[in-house]
Amino acid sequence: MTYRKKWAASWDEVKYCSKACRSAGVPDVLMATILALLDKRDGKTICPSEVLNTADKQDPKKMERVRGAARLLAHEGKLQITQRGQIVDPNTFKGPIRLRRA
């Protein structure tokens, strides 16, 4: 999701970029699962694919929902998205990522 001028006054409250995203939503279950896995790791990172079961890992739509949940958590300051150990911008990253607690 990228910044839009019309959201200037309420950027911190923006959660969805469009009506389509809002209707698809990002289940709180995914966000809770990500945080629970991170808590179990005690400071270590996780791969977003670890959130899904084996059959769902091959589904690009389900993987993107996990990545979307990670973006929301990053915007809330609850986790960091990294690539090769470096923190990346949640709005612009591409490619493989890892997640860690903020």
Side-chain angles (χ1 to χ4, degrees), residues 7-71:
W7 296 337
S10 61
W11 179 245
D12 293 335
E13 299 168 15
V14 174
K15 289 189 177 183
Y16 302 104
C17 61
S18 66
K19 289 180 183 177
C21 285
R22 181 178 290 120
S23 65
V26 176
D28 292 336
V29 173
L30 284 177
M31 294 193 300
T33 304
I34 290 170
L35 294 175
L37 284 171
L38 287 169
D39 289 342
K40 283 183 186 177
R41 291 292 172 88
D42 195 31
K44 295 185 180 179
T45 64
I46 64 166
C47 178
S49 65
E50 295 176 49
V51 176
L52 299 173
N53 62 38
T54 306
D56 291 339
K57 289 180 183 182
Q58 301 304 315
D59 185 342
K61 289 182 180 179
K62 290 181 181 179
M63 279 303 302
E64 187 53 38
R65 291 188 72 179
V66 173
R67 291 164 69 101
R71 284 184 189 98

